[in-house]
Each structure stands twice: as structure tokens, then as C-alpha cells.
Amino acid sequence: MYRNEELRKTLVFTAAVTCWGAVSLVRTLTGHYAGFPDALGIAWPAIAPFLLNEAFARTVIDEDGIRSWRPLGRRYYRWADITEVTTEVKYARSQSAHRVRLHRATGRPRWVPFPSLPHRASAPYVDAFRREVAGIEEIRREATGREGAGRHGTRGR
């Protein structure tokens, strides 16, 4: 099972900014509005659920497939529906990371919430990450081979 390794940082950050939002709301209600900083603090509760959604995400990889769980949604991908598991760099805003991407027979490819690795990680970490993703791909091959053996009587590869 993979979980977000930065959960503690995210929770501390969210708690601090939520306190800032509460102070901003009290300041605004008492007539001490300070402009943009207070407006941003008040807007924070609308942003926090999406940040926490990423923080609490987890991914389980087993012989049946890949289960991706987040507080705001769940996904399940069966090995039979996945054609390939690769690692690619995903560029998003100011952050980029090596992420796991599922290529599916039907539909567009999907990013798996975890595992991931910062884009600027050193070469040994990137190599270890790619080996881990190759292990996931091997699990997929073994699982689809077993399914083929059950249906057709031979192990398909």
C-alpha cells in the first residue's frame, strides 16, 4: 500500500492556514478588514478539502488490480483493463514529479495518486522508483497471465 509521505506536513500547513482563516473571519466581522490577506484567509476553507484529498490518498496494488482511494473519490482498475504501467513526469503548476501512469485498453490513460517521486530527485532514487514501477508492471503481467490460463487453458503472455 502506498500513502502520501508528506501527510504530516500537509496537516500542519492546513491547520495553520485554517487558524489564519478563522482570525481573518473574526477580523472581518469586527470591522478590521485588512484587504487581500484577510480575503485569502477567508477563502481557504474552500481550498482545503482538495489539498486534504491528495494528502489522504492511498493506493493498494494486489493480484486483483489497483485500488486508488481518496476521501472525495475511489477508483478501481482491474489488471485485465490495463495494457501497461509506466512512469512518466507529470508537470503541474510549479511542481513536477515522476508519477505512475496506467494505460488502459478502453479510455484515456490515468495517473495513480501514489507512488510518486519529485522530478529533481537524484539518479539513484529515480532508478529505484523505475524498478518499483517495473515490479508493478510484472504483477500486472502475472495477473493477466493467470486470467488467460483460467479462460483458455494456456498461460498467455
Side-chain angles (χ1 to χ4, degrees):
M1 176 166 35
Y2 298 94
R3 292 181 183 220
N4 188 348
E5 295 175 0
E6 307 220 352
L7 177 61
R8 182 176 292 156
K9 289 181 193 175
T10 303
L11 291 177
V12 169
F13 176 76
T14 302
V17 179
T18 301
C19 290
W20 170 32
V23 169
S24 297
L25 182 62
V26 169
R27 288 174 47 87
T28 302
L29 292 176
T30 58
H32 295 71
Y33 180 71
F36 181 74
D38 282 342
L40 188 60
I42 292 169
W44 176 253
I47 300 166
F50 298 104
L51 183 63
L52 292 174
N53 187 47
E54 285 294 319
F56 284 107
R58 51 176 200 219
T59 300
V60 176
I61 299 170
D62 59 16
E63 64 275 352
D64 297 328
I66 298 177
R67 289 173 183 60
S68 173
W69 180 89
R70 294 179 182 184
L72 298 179
R74 292 161 180 76
R75 297 216 185 253
Y76 174 64
Y77 305 102
R78 294 181 349 185
W79 290 123
D81 299 335
I82 299 171
T83 58
E84 186 179 17
V85 180
T86 61
T87 177
E88 297 178 23
V89 177
K90 180 179 181 183
Y91 297 95
R93 295 181 283 283
S94 62
Q95 297 179 349
S96 57
H98 295 273
R99 301 276 310 267
V100 175
R101 191 165 189 162
L102 303 178
H103 299 272
R104 302 178 306 152
T106 59
R108 62 188 174 125
R110 294 282 186 168
W111 297 103
V112 178
F114 294 103
S116 64
L117 181 70
H119 182 311
R120 296 182 180 179
S122 61
Y125 290 109
V126 172
D127 292 340
F129 180 73
R130 288 188 176 143
R131 281 192 303 274
E132 190 171 353
V133 173
I136 295 169
E137 173 65 13
E138 186 60 32
I139 293 170
R140 183 196 68 80
R141 286 187 192 136
E142 289 176 7
T144 55
R146 276 197 312 273
E147 289 174 5
R151 278 188 244 147
H152 305 291
T154 60
R155 186 177 174 110
R157 283 218 177 198

